[in-house]
Amino acid sequence: EDFVWDPCANHIMRTSILSLAGVHVAKVAFEKGGADMAKNRKLYNVPDEWLDVLKEFPQRLEMWPQFSDFPYQELSSALLGVICVALRPTDKQLLKHFGKKILMESFLKIEQSDEEKDKKIEIMDDDEEPSQKIEKVGGKNVEDAEGEKTCPIVKLPKVFEYQSAVILLETLITIAGPKLLTQLYAMLFTGRLSLLAREQLTNFAVQKLLQNIKEKEDFENVFNELVNDVEDLLKIGHTGVVEALVGACLRIGSKQAQSIVSLQTALHTPASDKQKVKSFFHCLIKLKPYEVTQADNSAFVHLHGSLIVQHILRFNKPIFLVNCILDTPAEQLVIIFNTPNGSHIVDAFLQSKYIGEKSREKFIRYMEGFYVDLATSKFGSRVVDSCFAAAQESQKARIVKELADKANLLKSTPFGRLLYNKFRVETYRLSVTQWKASLHVNKEQRVDKLFKDIVN
C-alpha cells in the first residue's frame, strides 16, 4: 500500500506482479503497454504459493477507500491494468469480480463537481451561446438550422474524461471474458458509440471494443449505432474505427453486405452510378471520396484502406470488390502493389476462401507483362512470389518466361536476384523441360513432407 504512489517502486511492483503470475512481457519498441501488454505476453509455470501472493494484491487494494479514484491517476491506473493482465491466465473468477468492481465503483462514477457545473451553466443560459452550453454539458454540439437544440445531449461517464482511465478500460476490454465484456459494453458504450468514435481520446476504446466483441447480437447493435457515421469518421481522420468495424464484420460473419454499402455511400460511389462504382477500389485504398480521388494520381495507399480491402476480400461474397480490382488498369495496380500497404492486398486476394479459382487465374493472367517491373522492387517482389505460389503449372511457366526474357534487368536489383534464384530462372533459360521436371520433384518433396508423420 505504501508504494502505490511511488513512481519507481510502482514499476517494480508491476513487474513483480507479472512475475508472480508467470507472465513475461518482452520489451517492444513503441509499445504503449496496457492492451498491447496483454497481447504480447508469454506464460510460464509458477508454484501455487506465488499465485496465492498474487491474489493478495487485488484483494487488499479493493478494500481501500480510495479504490474508486485509482483509474484516474497514472500510477495506480497502470497498477490495476497489470493486475488484470496477471489475473487473466491465473484466476478468471477473481478477474471477473475485480473488473466488475472497477466498472461499478469507478468507471460509472459521476463527480459532484460535474453536476454542479451543469447546474451553473443552466442558470447562465441567457448569457451564453447555446453551442457553449451544449459543448460543456455533453461534449457534442447538435443544432438545427435556427440554432435550436434538436436532440438530447449524451452525458459521458467519468471514465471517458481521463486518458489513464481510458487506457485501463482498453486493457479490460482486451482481457475480459464474455460476461464482463457484455457488461462493459452495455453500461459504458450503449447509446454513446457515435459520440465516443468521434472523440480523439475515446475512439481507440471503440476500436478495442470492435476488435474484441464476441456476441453477434451485441455486435449488430454496435454496427447499427455506427453505420451512419462512416463518412464523418473518415472526414475527421478516425479511419481506425471504420477499419475495426469492417474487421468485426469479417470476424463475426455478420452485416458484411451492409458494411460495403455504407462504405460506397461514404466514398460517394453508389451502386446506382455505374461510372462511379468502378472507382470504389481506388477510393477505398485512399479512403477519400470519389471527387477527391479523381485528381489524385499519387501512389499513396492508406494503411487502414488496405486493411479494409483485405477484410472485404475475405468476406463470404467478395465478388463486387474482385470485379472492381480486375476493372482497374493493370498499370495502376502495379503502382499500388509496389507500395508497402498495397502489396498485402494481393495476399488476401489469392488466399481468400471465397474467391474462386477462375478469378485467381484471371488476376494472375491480368498481371502478365508487368512481372519484371514488380520483381525488381522491394514490395512488388512479394507480389510476384505470391502469384507464383498460387499459379497453375502453365501460368508458372509463363511468369518465369517473362522473367527470363529480361534476366539482366531482373538481376540488377537484390530483390530481383532473390526471385531469379528462387524460381530457378537460369535452369529455365538452359532447358525448359529440365525446369518443369524440377517443379514436379519439388511438388513431390512437399507432399512427402506434408504426409511424413502419417507415412512413418
Side-chain angles (χ1 to χ4, degrees):
E1 284 87 344
D2 298 342
F3 295 129
V4 170
W5 315 112
D6 186 304
C8 299
N10 187 292
H11 281 82
I12 297 169
M13 191 153 53
R14 276 145 55 184
T15 306
S16 305
I17 289 167
L18 291 174
S19 302
L20 287 170
V23 175
H24 171 67
V25 182
K27 292 290 177 192
V28 180
F30 309 114
E31 190 187 65
K32 291 178 188 171
D36 287 339
M37 185 190 292
K39 193 171 60 182
N40 297 322
R41 63 197 171 92
K42 287 182 183 174
L43 298 176
Y44 297 94
N45 290 326
V46 291
D48 289 343
E49 55 264 32
W50 289 22
L51 301 179
D52 295 336
V53 177
L54 166 68
K55 288 170 194 174
E56 272 186 47
F57 279 91
Q59 286 165 354
R60 283 167 66 173
L61 286 176
E62 70 180 17
M63 289 189 287
W64 271 33
Q66 304 100 311
F67 182 79
S68 61
D69 297 322
F70 274 18
Y72 306 106
Q73 294 169 42
E74 278 191 26
L75 289 172
S76 52
S77 173
L79 181 65
L80 291 184
V82 164
I83 289 172
C84 291
V85 170
L87 286 176
R88 188 190 185 186
T90 54
D91 193 333
K92 286 188 169 63
Q93 205 57 38
L94 183 54
L95 170 63
K96 189 167 115 182
H97 164 76
F98 194 61
K100 193 173 177 182
K101 193 171 175 73
I102 294 171
L103 169 65
M104 302 305 289
E105 293 187 13
S106 190
F107 285 172
L108 292 170
K109 187 178 177 186
I110 294 173
E111 287 180 308
Q112 186 64 31
S113 56
D114 282 354
E115 292 178 341
E116 285 168 5
K117 281 179 198 168
D118 291 354
K119 284 174 188 171
K120 282 178 189 172
I121 290 166
E122 282 174 18
I123 292 163
M124 294 164 65
D125 196 349
D126 297 333
D127 305 324
E128 287 190 8
E129 292 293 319
S131 60
Q132 282 180 298
K133 178 186 169 184
I134 289 164
E135 282 175 5
K136 286 179 185 174
V137 177
K140 187 179 180 183
N141 187 356
V142 184
E143 297 178 4
D144 65 13
E146 287 77 39
E148 292 294 316
K149 195 170 62 173
T150 55
C151 68
I153 294 154
V154 181
K155 184 81 180 95
L156 293 180
K158 185 182 174 186
V159 59
F160 295 118
E161 295 171 15
Y162 293 81
Q163 188 172 7
S164 58
V166 173
I167 291 170
L168 176 59
L169 173 60
E170 288 174 24
T171 306
L172 260 183
I173 289 169
T174 307
I175 61 174
K179 199 169 180 182
L180 179 58
L181 186 61
T182 300
Q183 287 173 333
L184 288 166
Y185 159 63
M187 293 183 181
L188 296 175
F189 291 94
T190 305
R192 305 183 178 108
L193 280 160
S194 179
L195 175 56
L196 294 172
R198 295 162 191 262
E199 294 292 323
Q200 186 70 39
L201 181 63
T202 56
N203 81 87
F204 295 105
V206 176
Q207 290 181 44
K208 282 284 182 292
L209 178 71
L210 286 163
Q211 287 159 7
N212 292 281
I213 202 161
K214 294 172 182 71
E215 297 296 325
K216 189 175 180 179
E217 191 182 337
D218 287 347
F219 167 68
E220 287 177 355
N221 292 333
V222 172
F223 183 88
N224 293 334
E225 275 194 60
L226 289 174
V227 69
N228 296 322
D229 297 320
V230 170
E231 186 170 354
D232 291 340
L233 292 170
L234 294 179
K235 272 182 189 172
I236 59 177
H238 290 182
T239 52
V241 179
V242 181
E243 184 272 320
L245 187 66
V246 179
C249 291
L250 170 66
R251 186 168 52 83
I252 292 168
S254 177
K255 300 284 184 184
Q256 295 182 352
Q258 292 94 319
S259 68
I260 294 175
V261 171
S262 70
L263 286 165
Q264 283 180 275
T265 307
L267 298 170
H268 305 167
T269 56
S272 55
D273 192 322
K274 288 182 181 178
Q275 187 57 43
K276 287 183 177 179
V277 83
K278 287 179 182 176
S279 301
F280 179 59
F281 171 65
H282 189 56
C283 296
L284 203 51
I285 56 167
K286 294 182 184 293
L287 287 184
K288 291 175 183 172
Y290 176 79
E291 298 76 18
V292 178
T293 51
Q294 287 303 97
D296 185 356
N297 296 317
S298 68
F300 169 74
V301 176
H302 198 293
L303 171 62
H304 289 141
S306 171
L307 289 170
I308 290 169
V309 170
Q310 290 171 54
H311 295 326
I312 294 174
L313 287 171
R314 293 188 173 103
F315 276 7
N316 296 350
K317 291 180 180 175
I319 189 66
F320 170 65
L321 186 59
V322 169
N323 291 335
C324 285
I325 292 172
L326 294 173
D327 285 342
T328 307
E331 299 85 356
Q332 208 172 318
L333 288 178
V334 171
I335 293 168
I336 293 164
F337 297 154
N338 262 326
T339 62
N341 295 335
S343 63
H344 291 280
I345 293 170
V346 178
D347 297 338
F349 192 107
L350 296 173
Q351 292 165 15
S352 172
K353 291 188 292 186
Y354 298 101
I355 294 178
E357 196 64 44
K358 284 185 180 177
S359 295
R360 279 201 289 271
E361 284 177 20
K362 191 176 177 183
F363 175 79
I364 293 165
R365 274 203 311 276
Y366 194 53
M367 298 313 295
E368 284 177 12
F370 296 96
Y371 282 117
V372 176
D373 294 343
L374 287 165
T376 49
S377 70
K378 181 177 181 178
F379 301 106
S381 61
R382 283 188 68 257
V383 173
V384 178
D385 199 7
S386 297
C387 289
F388 186 84
Q392 301 291 342
E393 192 177 312
S394 57
Q395 286 181 313
K396 281 184 168 129
R398 285 205 294 276
I399 292 171
V400 174
K401 184 181 184 305
E402 192 179 317
L403 298 178
D405 289 346
K406 295 184 178 177
N408 290 339
L409 183 60
L410 187 68
K411 289 191 285 185
S412 65
T413 70
F415 317 108
R417 274 200 302 278
L418 211 82
L419 293 183
Y420 184 86
N421 296 327
K422 186 173 183 178
F423 298 162
R424 299 179 304 286
V425 178
E426 189 65 45
T427 308
Y428 183 90
R429 292 174 75 190
L430 294 169
S431 166
V432 177
T433 315
Q434 199 178 335
W435 180 84
K436 283 182 178 175
S438 71
L439 261 190
H440 287 295
V441 171
N442 269 18
K443 196 174 181 182
E444 284 165 15
Q445 283 175 349
R446 279 204 303 277
V447 171
D448 287 349
K449 199 173 179 183
L450 205 62
F451 295 103
K452 187 181 176 185
D453 296 341
I454 299 168
V455 172
N456 289 350

